[in-house]
C-alpha cells in the first residue's frame, strides 16, 4: 500500500543456486498449496541444465527457502503453471526433451512429487506445443493453446515455427486430448483462458489472422471457435510483434488483456462473452513489453510486467520491454495508472527480466482458473 514504509521496494528475493541460474531465464511462476509454495520454470534450462522446474517454500513470504529442482522426464521448455484445488499443480511444457516438438502437460501432486506427463509419449500430436493452459474444474475440462516449436526460435534456425491450434481435454480426468480446434492463418496462440462459471465452457484465445488481431471464443462443448472481437478495429496492432495475454475476473464478468509490443492494457465487460464491450484502455508505450497480468482479489488493481522474451545472441526472438512492474487501478470500470512503476533493472543490484508477476493474495487459497 502507498502508506507502507516499504512501498515500491523489494522486500525479499529467491535466488536459484548458481549452478542452475547460469545461462538461464525465469519464466512463469505460480503460488500453489494454499500460497505456501512458489513453483517457477526456467525457460532456457534445456540449453545447459538438467533441471528446469524450481520450488520455494514461501510459508514466510519475505524469507523464501529453496526446496528443490526437477525436470519433466520426456519434455522441456516449461511455460504456464496452474494450481490445483486439491494441492499440486499442472504445467504446460512446450517442447520435447531437445526443445523440438511435441510438448506435453505435466502434473505434480500436493507433496510436490511428479505424477505424469500427458498425453503419453507416442500419443502426442506432432505439432503440439502447449503454451497457454486453463482448467475448468466445474466442467472437468482443460484447454491448452499451441504457440511455437521452441527449437525453431534458436539459432541456427532461420524462422520460427508458429502453431495455430487449441487442444480440448474433456474430460480432463482422463488426461487425454479429446478434440483440436484450428484457427486458420493464426501465427502462434500464446494464451487461452476459460471464462469462469460459463455453462458452455467458453474460453478466450487470440491471434493475428487475415482480418487482423482477433479474440476468439472457443466453445469446449462443441469444439467450435468464433470471432468475438477484432482488436485491430480499435487499436494499432503490430501483426508480427504483438502477442496477447488474457485474464478474466473471478466472477466471469470482466476481462483484462495486454498487448506486448504495443504496451497496451485493455479492459472489457464480458457479461455477454460472445459480445465483449471495451470499457477502457491505457498504454505504457511502444516496445514496453507489457505481458503478464494478475488481478488483486478485490478486482481493484491490475499488476502487469514489461518483458516478453529476448533470446539475445542465441535466438530469433527479441521482444524485450521496459523491464518494469506496473500497478493499474480500476475505478468505476475505468483504468488509471498509479505511481507504482518499479524498474527491475535498477531495483536490485543486477538487471532482471520480469516476465511473470503474481499478487500474494492472502485471501486466495488456490486459483485453478
Amino acid at each position: 500500500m502507498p502508506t507502507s514504509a516499504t512501498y515500491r521496494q523489494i522486500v525479499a528475493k529467491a535466488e536459484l543456486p548458481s549452478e542452475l541460474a547460469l545461462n538461464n531465464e525465469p519464466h512463469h511462476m505460480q503460488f500453489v498449496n494454499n500460497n505456501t509454495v512458489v513453483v517457477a520454470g526456467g525457460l532456457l534450462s534445456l540449453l545447459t541444465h538438467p533441471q528446469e522446474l524450481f520450488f520455494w517454500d514461501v510459508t514466510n513470504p519475505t524469507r523464501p527457502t529453496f526446496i528443490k529442482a526437477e525436470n519433466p522426464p520426456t519434455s522441456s521448455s516449461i511455460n504456464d503453471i496452474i494450481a490445483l484445488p486439491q494441492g499440486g499443480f499442472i504445467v504446460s511444457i512446450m517442447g520435447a526433451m531437445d526443445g523440438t516438438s511435441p510438448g506435453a502437460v505435466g502434473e505434480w501432486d500436493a507433496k510436490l512429487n511428479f505424477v505424469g506427463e500427458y498425453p503419453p509419449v507416442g500419443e502426442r500430436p506432432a505439432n503440439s506445443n502447449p503454451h497457454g493452459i486453463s482448467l475448468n474444474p466445474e466442467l472437468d475440462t482443460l484447454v491448452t493453446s499451441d504457440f511455437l516449436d521452441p527449437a525453431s526460435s534458436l539459432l541456427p534456425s532461420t524462422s520460427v515455427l508458429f502453431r495455430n491450434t487449441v487442444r480440448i481435454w474433456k474430460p480432463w480426468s482422463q488426461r487425454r486430448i479429446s478434440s483440436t480446434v484450428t484457427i486458420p492463418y493464426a501465427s502462434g496462440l500464446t494464451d487461452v483462458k476459460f471464462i469462469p462459471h460459463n455453462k458452455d465452457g467458453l474460453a478466450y484465445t487470440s491471434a493475428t489472422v487475415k482480418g487482423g488481431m482477433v479474440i476468439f471464443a472457443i466453445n469446449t462443448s462443441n469444439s467450435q471457435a468464433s470471432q468475438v472481437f477484432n482488436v485491430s478495429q480499435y487499436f494499432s496492432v503490430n501483426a508480427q510483434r504483438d502477442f496477447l495475454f488474457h485474464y478474466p475476473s473471478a466472477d466471469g464478468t470482466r476481462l483484462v488483456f495486454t498487448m506486448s509490443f504495443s504496451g497496451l492494457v485493455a479492459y472489457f465487460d464480458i457479461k455477454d462473452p460472445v459480445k465483449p464491450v471495451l470499457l477502457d484502455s491505457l498504454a505504457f508505450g511502444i516496445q514496453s513489453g507489457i505481458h503478464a497480468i494478475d488481478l488483486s482479489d478485490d478486482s481493484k488493481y491490475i499488476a502487469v510486467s514489461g518483458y516478453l522474451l529476448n533470446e539475445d545472441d542465441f535466438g530469433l526472438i527479441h521482444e524485450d520491454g521496459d523491464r518494469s512492474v506496473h500497478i493499474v487501478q480500476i475505478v468505476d470500470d475505468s483504468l488509471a495508472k498509479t505511481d507504482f512503476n518499479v524498474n527491475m533493472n535498477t531495483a536490485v543490484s543486477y538487471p532482471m527480466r520480469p516476465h511473470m508477476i503474481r499478487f500474494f493474495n492472502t485471501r486466495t487459497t488456490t486459483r485453478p482458473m
Side-chain angles (χ1 to χ4, degrees):
M1 297 295 291
T3 55
S4 170
T6 56
Y7 182 62
R8 294 181 299 189
Q9 295 181 25
I10 305 297
V11 297
K13 58 182 179 180
E15 296 186 339
L16 283 174
S18 58
E19 67 272 15
L20 297 175
L22 186 66
N23 296 325
N24 207 342
E25 182 167 308
H27 206 53
H28 284 234
M29 53 83 71
Q30 182 61 276
F31 291 102
V32 305
N33 290 6
N34 296 326
N35 283 340
T36 61
V37 174
V38 161
V39 181
L43 183 65
L44 306 179
S45 294
L46 78 159
L47 298 177
T48 53
H49 305 292
Q51 294 90 15
E52 57 179 309
L53 198 62
F54 312 113
F55 303 77
W56 286 269
D57 183 332
V58 291
T59 306
N60 181 344
T62 62
R63 291 192 175 184
T65 303
F66 185 69
I67 300 173
K68 64 175 180 176
E70 286 193 0
N71 202 43
T74 67
S75 54
S76 68
S77 296
I78 296 288
N79 194 63
D80 210 1
I81 302 160
I82 297 179
L84 296 174
Q86 69 273 22
F89 62 94
I90 54 177
V91 58
S92 58
I93 312 173
M94 282 195 293
M97 282 292 289
D98 59 356
T100 59
S101 300
V105 170
E107 181 177 8
W108 276 256
D109 65 20
K111 295 183 179 180
L112 308 181
N113 294 320
F114 174 73
V115 176
E117 291 171 291
Y118 318 110
V121 174
E123 296 182 20
R124 298 170 188 171
N127 62 346
S128 175
N129 302 108
H131 188 272
I133 184 170
S134 188
L135 176 66
N136 189 325
E138 297 169 355
L139 299 178
D140 190 21
T141 304
L142 183 81
V143 286
T144 54
S145 63
D146 297 317
F147 182 33
L148 58 80
D149 177 292
S152 74
S153 74
L154 303 174
L155 297 176
S157 174
T158 57
S159 62
V160 180
L161 183 57
F162 288 104
R163 304 302 192 188
N164 65 347
T165 44
V166 171
R167 314 287 176 175
I168 300 173
W169 310 59
K170 186 179 182 179
W172 161 241
S173 54
Q174 293 185 3
R175 305 305 195 260
R176 290 286 194 278
I177 296 170
S178 56
S179 61
T180 296
V181 179
T182 300
I183 307 295
Y185 308 108
S187 54
L189 301 179
T190 53
D191 192 28
V192 62
K193 288 289 190 302
F194 272 114
I195 302 168
H197 316 303
N198 180 271
K199 61 181 178 60
D200 295 318
L202 294 185
Y204 286 138
T205 191
S206 59
T208 297
V209 294
K210 280 191 171 181
M213 177 71 80
V214 173
I215 298 176
F216 293 85
I218 308 296
N219 189 323
T220 59
S221 64
N222 60 18
S223 303
Q224 298 295 310
S226 58
Q227 297 189 19
V228 298
F229 190 87
N230 192 319
V231 179
S232 298
Q233 292 180 0
Y234 292 81
F235 304 105
S236 177
V237 175
N238 187 306
Q240 285 74 44
R241 303 182 67 178
D242 264 319
F243 297 99
L244 267 68
F245 200 65
H246 317 77
Y247 203 107
S249 61
D251 64 2
T253 68
R254 296 292 185 268
L255 175 74
V256 182
F257 84 60
T258 55
M259 288 167 52
S260 54
F261 180 81
S262 297
L264 187 76
V265 180
Y267 189 57
F268 291 86
D269 181 329
I270 57 168
K271 288 193 289 291
D272 183 346
V274 298
K275 295 181 180 179
V277 177
L278 178 64
L279 297 173
D280 200 7
S281 65
L282 56 79
F284 286 94
I286 298 296
Q287 292 186 284
S288 55
I290 301 300
H291 173 60
I293 312 164
D294 202 9
L295 271 172
S296 61
D297 273 353
D298 58 10
S299 294
K300 293 181 179 180
Y301 296 93
I302 305 167
V304 295
S305 58
Y307 175 79
L308 186 66
L309 176 63
N310 185 356
E311 292 181 329
D312 297 309
D313 59 357
F314 57 84
L316 303 177
I317 299 175
H318 304 290
E319 298 299 337
D320 213 308
D322 64 14
R323 301 196 184 185
S324 296
V325 173
H326 307 280
I327 301 293
V328 175
Q329 188 174 12
I330 305 170
V331 182
D332 297 329
D333 278 338
S334 296
L335 303 182
K337 292 182 180 180
T338 70
D339 65 351
F340 192 104
N341 303 283
V342 178
N343 188 322
M344 299 303 292
N345 272 343
T346 57
V348 293
S349 57
Y350 44 81
M352 298 187 71
R353 300 179 174 190
H355 181 84
M356 178 50 60
I357 187 167
R358 298 289 184 196
F359 279 112
F360 187 88
N361 286 321
T362 55
R363 288 182 293 155
T364 302
T365 52
T366 53
R367 288 174 285 175
M369 292 296 182

